[in-house]
Amino acid sequence: MAGTTLKPTRARKPGCFALQLPALIAFAALLGLWQLLDWRQVYPAFILPGPRLVWQRFLSVVADGTLWANTQVTLIEIFGGLALGLSVAVVLGYLLAKSPALEQVVLPYLVASQALPIVALAPLLVIWLGAGHLSKIVVCALTLFFPVLVNTIVGIRSVEKGLHDLMRSLNASPWQVFTLLELPAALPVLLSGLKIGLTLSVIGAVVGEFVAADRGLGFMVNLARGLFDTPLLFVALATLMAIALIFYGLMTALERALLRWQKD
Amino acid sequence: MHRYLKLFSILSLCLLLVAVGCATPKPAAQVTQVKLAMGYVPNVQFTPLYVAKERGYFAAEGINVTFDYGMETDLLKLLGTNQLQFVIGSGDQVALARAQGLPVRYVLNWYQRFPVCVVSLAGSGINKPADLVGRTVGIPALEGASYIGWRALLNAVGIAPDKVNLQVIGYTQAASLTQKRVDAAVCYVMNEPVQLQAAGQQLNVLYLDAYTNLPSNGLITNDQTIKEHPELVQGMTRAFLHGLRDTIADPDAAFAIAKKEVPSLSGENEALQRAVLTACIKYWQGEPLGKSDPASWRSEVDLLRQLNLLAAPVDPESLYTNEYIK
């Protein structure tokens, strides 16, 4: 045994592929079912086009550049909405978490505002703000605002009182309390809110585009419906799903990276 | 004695039951249930149908009609799969749907003229189509009757589409015009122009039917219904035309019937809605009522082909029939 070094044994983690395997199997099963429905001609193509038809339409809109042109517009609106919605929700959420008096005044109105269907509000925003990007960015921001706000309040409030006392006894400044205690402690809940917000932002941008747009994936959905082009509709919807999945994956990766210290 | 009485009672009861069984009335003439779907919301613009129902013209044809409302494209898909048998929709949608394989056909031409216009505020200097060059024009969407009508106008007067700044503004034409976000807006003749004039605005209106000949709203059915139930199609068109004639002949009485079907037409909205009906009637009038103009369908298909909106070649004659207009 002399001279041998004992290395700590680490549990072997399943690979990325192994983790995604059930989802991939489910996707393949769904695709198989879809193809089967197409072979059996259960529905006409204008109701349920087969995978081959949708794939051909996908290739055609990739080739002529319309898919990317419309996706770009939607992405701009999503990122604009995220920047606006997240910043306002996080700042307001922090203030409400720290001030119960302010919370009592503001929160009832914010909760009541959630009863307003965004599809009813969107046309008004187009009238007030015009039919350009701004109205869609605001619709997007409003869609993701509330879940992020609530998670911010919950996250900040979840910090143990004892830790606050400890920081006070160490004469920590408010900025130090925020950066060294509140932000790290609230991060898991905050990131959960961001995950929901990111997914909702895709819906928000599309709702805005439904009302008035000449570009974007929401416009593409509207156009496909108007032209009875169901394969194009499927392509637009699949692209939206892909965006939401990518956002979710990125957010999960960010969450893992930022919360690694918790596991350690 | 008591035993005989009991037997007599049982026999009487049996006789009574047999008599009741025999007296059951024969089934009345068969009534066909029809759900007529319209591509909009309950509205004064559907008055002729409300009149036909209220005055029993559908019932006289053996049809028990109920009304439904929704998105025109969704309704046409239901029609294409025979989940609906009749839809009120526009001619361009029939052409686009048929090109995608939906077996739908237009059987009654309701609007004799294409009811889309380009409206601007008086003083904007837009008095003729050429004045639109270099201006910002709002349009609800880059599809549908408004867009088709707009492109038909540009074609007819020889204006290249890129000479006009076309903006998609959704259904915010009135607000966009009054807020001066756009110089002009494409809309239905009986909607925004009537609203704006009622609000005291002076307008310039370019009526598209002065430049184009396109089919507009009408009654649409599917090939299966035509093949299997031609008498139903005939009954529907006859009842509809009866209601349409009554509405044109006596708009006040028709409006009173519409108010029963659409309660929101009453109250402070009433004068405006009555004005909408008057505007509509101008577009419904013209003989022979209900008949499609073959030239308008050829124009429609030519235009859609030019715009590259047809998924497959379409024979204009396959889109409509005048067989049921008698």
Side-chain angles (χ1 to χ4, degrees), chain A residues 44-47 123 126-131 136 211-214 219 222-231 233, chain B residues 71 73-74 76-77 80-81 93 96-97 100-103 140 142-143 166-172 175 179 181 309:
Chain A
F46 60 83
I47 297 287
V126 170
I127 291 172
W128 296 335
L129 305 172
K136 282 94 174 179
V211 178
D214 55 3
F219 159 73
N222 259 350
L223 188 70
R225 285 179 79 188
L227 298 178
F228 302 92
D229 190 346
T230 316
L233 182 76
Chain B
M71 282 280 295
T73 49
D74 297 336
L76 280 177
K77 283 184 179 174
T81 51
Q93 296 294 303
L96 293 169
Q100 291 282 0
L102 281 80
L142 295 185
E143 40 91 17
L166 191 68
Q167 269 191 15
V168 177
I169 56 169
Y171 292 92
T172 67
Q179 291 175 355
R181 288 186 191 279
L309 293 177

Side-chain angles (χ1 to χ4, degrees), chain A residues 61-183:
Chain A
V61 286
V62 168
D64 67 15
T66 50
L67 182 63
W68 177 234
N70 285 304
T71 305
Q72 266 180 314
V73 171
T74 302
L75 284 174
I76 289 170
E77 288 159 4
I78 289 174
F79 288 130
L82 279 171
L84 180 67
L86 291 183
S87 50
V88 175
V90 169
V91 171
L92 188 62
Y94 183 78
L95 293 174
L96 294 181
K98 302 298 278 182
S99 167
L102 186 65
E103 186 193 3
Q104 278 187 342
V105 174
V106 176
L107 202 60
Y109 295 102
L110 290 176
V111 173
S113 72
Q114 293 310 297
L116 298 175
I118 199 75
V119 285
L121 208 57
L124 289 175
L125 289 169
V126 170
I127 291 172
W128 296 335
L129 305 172
H133 283 313
L134 184 61
S135 53
K136 282 94 174 179
I137 287 172
V138 172
V139 172
C140 185
L142 286 173
T143 310
L144 64 94
F145 172 76
F146 196 69
V148 177
L149 176 99
V150 170
N151 276 48
T152 308
I153 296 172
V154 172
I156 297 295
R157 292 236 171 110
S158 65
V159 182
E160 283 177 38
K161 191 175 173 295
L163 293 173
H164 270 291
D165 293 341
L166 178 68
M167 292 297 275
R168 251 196 304 272
S169 70
L170 293 170
N171 266 339
S173 66
W175 178 248
Q176 284 172 320
V177 172
F178 176 66
T179 53
L180 299 175
L181 173 63
E182 289 173 335
L183 190 60

